[in-house]
């Protein structure tokens, strides 16, 4: 029926025409596979390159398992109508969608917590300042306690629990929609604040470590990728807040996208040692291959030995050094010694080519002077380098 109040408005779509399920399935599977592959590469790097697996790796494994479960829950939600309008679904399908959405939020809370705790534990492997260590430990406690409390509140939103998907708006037995959104908003505020705080930590941690500015800037960018997760959490929170209970199967934002981005951002900095090791292996292999091919291209011809006095420039009294002298062959050494006469050898002196003689005493005196003049500055620099190496070795990631 056309809109009488606004004749120019387009009529509403027919039931069943709007369907975003293929896009939800494709993007959910893609981001989940990317996150799992990145975590697998991180574990390979830690096991075979760094040779050290820490608590930050175990917590990111827990996050990867959680996002795999979340991907499965999203696919089941799609089966029951996620990606279509609520009005186009049978009541039984909507009830099942609500059941699995209830479980997906529990997974989202726990997986985000494991991801951020992994980032904190990763930074604890780098820092050596006590104030940074205590602040990161306090942040871990806040993340764990807040997410545990919010998860318990979400689970206990209805009494009995089955009313959470059968009749979520039952008065005196369930939280109101406003209260549920306040739980989601509290979780989002904690997640956004922790993302931005953890993204700024590398700037202060790497500030006093001696390394090239280009490398230091690159590490700050890699370790600050959590800002992307925080921005995505803002978008997710605004989208869910604006579509409270209007059309949840159509307007809801897929939570696993945010979680996958957080897992990838937390794992990329740990891949740097693996990248450097792979790059060195490829370079070594290419150099070995090129070294094998050199004799095939250039050949193995032996250099000629001077047998005529004409090879010396007698008019200018400057000897011409033959190629055999520059690149002597072992088999031609005796021929060179027997052919060159004493008179030709006397014409050759190092001073003609600017080669100056020196003594061991001069070199030792120069070394002693330079060592005595720079003792103070060198000891200070050695101390700074030792602190830097301690921090880098503790991380196992920035070396």
């Amino acid at each position: 029926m056309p809109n009488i109040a606004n004749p120019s408005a387009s009529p509403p779509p027919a039931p069943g025409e709007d369907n975003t399920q293929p896009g939800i399935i494709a993007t959910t599977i893609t981001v989940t596979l990317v996150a799992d592959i990145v975590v697998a590469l991180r574990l390979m790097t830690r096991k075979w390159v760094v040779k050290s697996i820490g608590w930050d790796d175990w917590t990111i494994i827990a996050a990867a398992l959680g996002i795999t479960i979340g991907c499965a829950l999203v696919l089941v939600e799609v089966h029951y109508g996620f990606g279509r309008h609520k009005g186009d679904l049978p009541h039984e399908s909507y009830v099942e969608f609500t059941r699995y959405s209830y479980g997906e939020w529990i997974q989202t809370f726990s997986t985000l917590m494991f991801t951020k705790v992994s980032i904190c534990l990763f930074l604890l492997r780098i820092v050596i300042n006590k104030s940074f260590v205590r602040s990161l430990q306090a942040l871990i406690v806040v993340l764990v306690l807040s997410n545990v409390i919010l998860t318990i509140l979400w689970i206990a939103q209805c009494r009995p629990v089955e009313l959470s998907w059968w009749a979520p708006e039952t008065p005196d037995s369930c939280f109101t929609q406003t209260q549920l959104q306040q739980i989601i908003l509290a979780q989002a505020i904690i997640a956004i604040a922790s993302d931005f705080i953890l993204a700024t930590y590398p700037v202060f941690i790497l500030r006093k470590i001696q390394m090239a500015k280009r490398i230091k800037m690159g590490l700050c960018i890699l370790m600050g990728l959590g800002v992307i997760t925080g921005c995505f959490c803002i978008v997710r929170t605004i989208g869910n807040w604006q579509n409270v209970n209007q059309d949840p199967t159509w307007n809801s934002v897929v939570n696993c996208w945010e979680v996958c981005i957080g897992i990838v951002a937390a794992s990329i900095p740990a891949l740097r040692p693996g990248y450097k090791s792979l790059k060195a292996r490829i370079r070594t292999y290419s150099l070995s291959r090129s070294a094998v091919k050199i004799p095939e291209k250039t050949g193995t011809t032996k250099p000629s030995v001077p047998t005529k006095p004409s090879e010396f420039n007698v008019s200018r009294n400057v000897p011409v050094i033959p190629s055999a002298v520059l690149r002597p062959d072992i088999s031609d050494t005796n021929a060179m010694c027997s052919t060159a006469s004493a008179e030709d050898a006397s014409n050759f002196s190092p001073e003609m080519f600017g080669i100056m003689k020196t003594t061991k005493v001069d070199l030792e005196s120069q070394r002693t002077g330079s060592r005595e003049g720079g003792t103070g500055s060198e000891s200070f620099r050695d101390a700074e380098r030792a602190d830097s190496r301690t921090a880098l070795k503790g991380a196992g990631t920035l070396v």
Side-chain angles (χ1 to χ4, degrees), residues 63 67 107-108 111-112 115 255-264:
I67 194 54
Q107 171 268 326
T108 301
T111 305
L112 285 174
T115 303
N255 297 328
C256 69
W257 296 351
E258 173 193 349
V259 181
C260 288
I261 293 173
I263 293 174
V264 172

Side-chain angles (χ1 to χ4, degrees), residues 13 16 18-20 24 80-89 94 97-98 101 169 177 181 239-253:
D18 291 336
N19 189 345
T20 60
I24 294 175
Y80 286 110
F82 187 29
R84 298 174 59 191
H85 289 286
K86 177 182 176 182
D88 300 335
L89 304 176
Y94 178 73
F97 163 78
T98 308
S101 178
E169 298 180 2
Q177 287 295 324
Q181 289 299 318
N240 288 333
W241 187 267
Q242 290 178 347
N243 299 295
V244 176
N245 202 33
Q246 293 179 358
D247 198 352
T249 58
W250 175 258
N251 293 320
S252 297
V253 180

Side-chain angles (χ1 to χ4, degrees), residues 85-158:
H85 289 286
K86 177 182 176 182
D88 300 335
L89 304 176
H91 179 68
E92 294 78 8
S93 296
Y94 178 73
V95 169
E96 292 299 319
F97 163 78
T98 308
R99 183 204 300 264
Y100 288 100
S101 178
Y102 170 86
E104 187 198 357
W105 274 109
I106 299 175
Q107 171 268 326
T108 301
F109 288 170
S110 59
T111 305
L112 285 174
M113 179 195 69
F114 281 121
T115 303
K116 299 179 193 313
V117 170
S118 175
I119 297 174
C120 293
L121 294 174
F122 174 80
L123 293 175
L124 283 174
R125 299 177 64 160
I126 302 174
V127 297
I128 56 178
N129 192 312
K130 290 185 178 180
S131 60
F132 286 142
V133 171
R134 292 173 181 173
S135 61
L136 286 171
Q137 292 173 345
L139 184 57
I140 291 175
V141 173
V142 171
L143 288 170
V144 173
L145 290 179
S146 61
N147 281 276
V148 168
I149 293 172
L150 292 174
T151 302
I152 293 174
L153 289 175
W154 182 264
I155 294 174
Q157 60 181 272
C158 287

Side-chain angles (χ1 to χ4, degrees), residues 64-389:
L65 293 176
I67 194 54
T68 305
I69 297 173
C71 175
L73 291 173
V74 171
L75 295 180
V76 176
E77 291 174 24
V78 170
H79 176 71
Y80 286 110
F82 187 29
R84 298 174 59 191
H85 289 286
K86 177 182 176 182
D88 300 335
L89 304 176
H91 179 68
E92 294 78 8
S93 296
Y94 178 73
V95 169
E96 292 299 319
F97 163 78
T98 308
R99 183 204 300 264
Y100 288 100
S101 178
Y102 170 86
E104 187 198 357
W105 274 109
I106 299 175
Q107 171 268 326
T108 301
F109 288 170
S110 59
T111 305
L112 285 174
M113 179 195 69
F114 281 121
T115 303
K116 299 179 193 313
V117 170
S118 175
I119 297 174
C120 293
L121 294 174
F122 174 80
L123 293 175
L124 283 174
R125 299 177 64 160
I126 302 174
V127 297
I128 56 178
N129 192 312
K130 290 185 178 180
S131 60
F132 286 142
V133 171
R134 292 173 181 173
S135 61
L136 286 171
Q137 292 173 345
L139 184 57
I140 291 175
V141 173
V142 171
L143 288 170
V144 173
L145 290 179
S146 61
N147 281 276
V148 168
I149 293 172
L150 292 174
T151 302
I152 293 174
L153 289 175
W154 182 264
I155 294 174
Q157 60 181 272
C158 287
R159 299 183 305 272
V161 177
E162 290 79 4
L163 291 177
S164 301
W165 51 86
W166 281 108
E169 298 180 2
T170 303
D172 299 330
S173 297
C174 297
F175 293 163
T176 63
Q177 287 295 324
T178 303
Q179 291 173 331
L180 292 178
Q181 289 299 318
Q182 287 175 351
I183 295 175
I184 296 175
L185 182 62
Q187 186 274 335
I189 292 174
I190 295 172
I192 294 169
S194 59
D195 283 332
F196 283 97
I197 290 174
L198 293 174
T200 58
Y201 257 88
V203 178
F204 299 99
I205 294 173
L206 300 176
R207 182 179 57 182
K208 295 183 179 181
I209 295 180
Q210 288 188 351
M211 62 176 62
K213 290 184 178 180
R214 179 178 59 84
I215 299 177
K216 187 180 295 186
M217 186 177 298
L219 290 173
C220 290
I221 293 174
L222 288 177
M223 300 170 67
L225 291 176
V227 175
I228 301 176
T229 309
C231 295
F232 200 92
C233 186
I234 294 173
V235 174
R236 184 255 296 175
T237 305
I238 295 175
N240 288 333
W241 187 267
Q242 290 178 347
N243 299 295
V244 176
N245 202 33
Q246 293 179 358
D247 198 352
T249 58
W250 175 258
N251 293 320
S252 297
V253 180
V254 183
N255 297 328
C256 69
W257 296 351
E258 173 193 349
V259 181
C260 288
I261 293 173
I263 293 174
V264 172
S267 300
I268 285 180
L271 300 180
R272 189 168 182 266
Y275 166 75
K276 294 180 66 177
S277 176
L278 180 62
K279 183 179 178 181
R281 288 176 179 271
I282 294 175
R283 185 175 181 181
T284 303
Y285 176 76
S286 61
L287 290 176
S288 63
R289 293 285 296 176
S290 61
V292 171
K293 292 180 180 180
I294 285 176
E296 299 177 0
K297 294 181 179 180
T298 59
T300 56
T301 57
K302 297 181 180 180
S304 60
V305 180
T307 57
K308 298 180 180 179
S310 59
E311 293 193 15
F312 289 86
N313 193 343
V314 182
S315 60
R316 298 182 59 184
N317 199 23
V318 177
V320 177
I321 302 177
S323 59
V325 177
L326 295 177
R327 298 182 61 186
D329 189 76
I330 298 176
S331 61
D332 298 333
T333 304
N334 296 330
M336 290 166 51
C337 296
S338 60
T339 305
S341 62
E343 182 181 358
D344 294 335
S346 62
N347 292 331
F348 177 80
S349 62
E351 288 79 2
M352 294 182 180
F353 300 96
I355 302 175
M356 302 300 295
K357 292 184 178 180
T358 183
T359 61
K360 183 177 181 181
V361 177
D362 295 336
L363 293 176
E364 291 296 333
S365 61
Q366 291 178 3
R367 293 176 183 173
T368 304
S370 61
R371 188 179 298 112
E372 292 177 355
T375 302
S377 59
E378 286 182 0
S379 61
F380 179 75
R381 287 194 297 269
D382 291 340
E384 288 187 342
R385 292 182 186 131
D387 293 339
S388 302
R389 286 194 297 269

